[in-house]
Amino acid sequence: MDAGLLWTAGGTVAGFVALGVASWQLRLQMRQHRSRPALPDAAVPPPSPSAADGPETAAAPASVLAPLRSLPAEIRGRQDQLRELLGLAEKSTGHAVVLAGLGGIGKSTVAAALAERVRADPRRHVWWVSAAEEGSLPSGMLAVARALGAPVAEQEAIASGTSRAPDALWAVLDREKRRWLLVIDNADAPQALAAPGSPPGSAGVADGTGWLRVPRSGLVVVTTRHADPATWGRGIVFRRLDRLDAADAGRILRDLAPAAGTEEQATELGERLGGLPLALHLAGSYLGSDFALTRGFADYRRELDGSPRTVDLLAPDPELAGDSRSTLMHTWEISLDALARYGVPQARTLLRLLSCLGAATPVPDDLLDVALLAALLPPEAVERTEQVVWLEQGMRGLLRLGLLNRLDSPPPGSGGRALMVHPVVADVGRAHLEADRQAGGAAARTVPATAVLLVTEALARLAPDRPADWPAFRLLTPHFRSLLSTAAPVLDPDGLRLAARGARMLADYSEWSGPAAIGEEICAATLAVVGALPSGDREVLDLRYSLCRAVALQGRWTEAEEGLQLLLADQREHLGDADRSTLRTEGELARVVADLGRHTEARATLAALLETQRVNLGERDPDTLDTYHVLGRVEAHTGGWAEAEALFRTARDGRAAAFGIDHPVTLASRNRLAWTIGQQGRAAEAGEELQEVLRIRRELFGDEHHDTLATRERLGWVLGLQGRLVEAEEELAVVVAERTRLLGPDYSGTLSSSVLLARVVAQRGRQEEAAALLADLHRRQSRLFGPDHPQTRETGHLLDGLGNS
């Protein structure tokens, strides 16, 4: 038994249902009492506060080390391609190469061999980024930028999910003086390489505005099944990998199983396997293993010739058709049959299970929690030791026969050990599950349901507001996305509810870590697959709340208001007026209404809500404290500074008691409180508190993070209140520049910082410069918010005042 295969153990088969439901209920109840970060404020010029207070930061990046552990000692039949690539890597000018070919042809092997040779020079950078699953590419690019020491603002721009993300990445790469190699592996959906938000089609990939560009220096290598050169654009070196000839195919088989027969027999079998490296690797690993029932090349060939045809199961590659496709599939069916005969039938089930997850994406070892595998375990495996052995033996067999690979350098969040499934192997596993489903097989339901349970329970063990858990969230995100297509269609109502909860957890994580667009996309995709649940199901309603919140976080307040109004009506009908979820939606709707400038309406709603929460939930309940905080914002927006101070002080004290004085939500109230104190003429007191909040936020999030910039904005204005105009202008100019670079000139925080900066510039006597800046801001606010929005009107009043001075 492989002692390195350590799996989480615990529980019994009898406790499976209770563990899967009760643990979720307990965790969700606990999380209901965690405050959530405040939505970004509207861009309100003084005297109103502005900018986001909720914790946001660039998400933790993935590992970008090349997977070299499974690289063969000698690369057969690809020497010409390797020599060309090495020659391009030596050139001083940059190049981008696309290696195209059908699945299993060896594209990743060639790229890994190149990475191994380039990495031998310690003066060069080598990065490996997977594009196999949605979301894995930006995560990898973020890791590249971090490895090069990119500023936090550029890292956040890369993680933002906006069209500016590729620009930020290439700004980092183009500054690098050392030679480098970047491999983008398994880019089988070319659209993933286009700039976020690009319309579907090849134009977004070929125009050079996305993730794939021809570098000034360095070498980019893309591996893909997409073999149309026109897709990739001008300037790209396009190379197609073909099948190996029979002689090289035979040599690979002899490398893996030297005692299985003669060179002639190996050559004949290599030809029978179609010269496809993946099939050769699986067949050779099998013949060279302890599990092999067929020991020789000739016998293996005869078994293939007599195998049943399974052509209709798999269709990811049109060229991989007929006998070749059947042969490829049968190579691992032979291996799995051998494992079953040796008493390891669970290997087939485990491979199907892993195929539901993200292909070519790290799977942390501890995801396979044996306590959650009860539906797959044999009835006789009652004791925990028996369950652990069942799992370890199955995984050991899959690794030994090459159906799984262990990663050399597991990414952050994996717990130190991780596996990976080849995309073609995953395709076949999913195809078998679909065939089982059509045939009415039980595994077609139990395996996907177990995969969903594993991922959602792993998410439930994490805390969205704990930065140390963000790498694990990021690692699990592509697996959850994969489950929405591989598992969700066969889930029962309980499984769908688990999926909805998992989506909410990821939405919470995206809110805390920064990229709210990711939360919106996951919630929307999950809502599309939980349609079998009743519309009034609590999980569906809670998921709609998370979706509306993610929309509001991105400043789409009108859209968020419409969604929240519909949601509130449904919650009142199905949950009742006094339900915690209903009350939370009321507060969220009032917050959005305030952002839309309807402060009187928002104040009335929040005041009534606060009284209800104090009676039903208690004075120090986190939701009640949230309402104190939001009501304080509304009072500050309308100049009620004393009232705002009292509300923020209550929110701060309650949050400090519940979460700690340095918790991000407490810092949000401290930040607001200091602002209101400064606005009442106590600038020194405000400045001292803001300096302390700034110190903590820098430690938590870095110098250029959203929250840090929000505090720096307030500190800059307080410096102005103290008459330290030169320091105030310098601080505000930095905030404006960083927010513009990170989120663009139309972001609400950028606009508010710019208004503050214009006021300081005017106070320093440069009225014409200030007027020009305010005029530009007024035009943008009119376009974004309308001429009657309070922000627009306030900027217009400031502009008129300068004109009359």
Side-chain angles (χ1 to χ4, degrees), residues 308-316 320 325-326 329-330 332-333 352 424 426-439:
R309 295 296 180 251
T310 53
V311 175
D312 292 337
L313 277 178
L314 180 66
L320 195 60
R325 182 185 299 165
S326 178
M329 295 179 65
H330 201 61
W332 52 75
E333 290 302 313
R352 303 283 196 267
V424 175
D427 283 342
V428 173
R430 294 168 183 178
H432 276 292
L433 282 173
E434 175 60 21
D436 289 345
R437 187 186 69 81
Q438 294 178 3

Side-chain angles (χ1 to χ4, degrees), residues 368-401:
L368 297 180
D369 186 339
V370 73
L372 304 176
L373 297 175
L376 306 181
L377 291 166
E380 62 271 16
V382 177
E383 298 296 328
R384 185 177 69 179
T385 301
E386 297 170 330
Q387 297 168 0
V388 173
V389 170
W390 179 89
L391 177 59
E392 287 184 342
Q393 288 181 340
M395 299 304 295
R396 179 175 177 269
L398 293 173
L399 288 164
R400 180 65 183 87
L401 295 182

Side-chain angles (χ1 to χ4, degrees), residues 134-177:
E134 187 175 4
S136 61
L137 182 64
S139 174
M141 295 305 195
L142 174 61
V144 171
R146 181 166 292 185
L148 288 174
V152 173
E154 287 182 326
Q155 294 183 38
E156 289 184 327
I158 293 168
S160 68
T162 68
S163 59
R164 292 184 296 276
D167 292 338
L169 181 277
W170 278 98
V172 176
L173 289 175
D174 286 341
R175 290 197 303 265
E176 179 55 35
K177 302 300 182 184

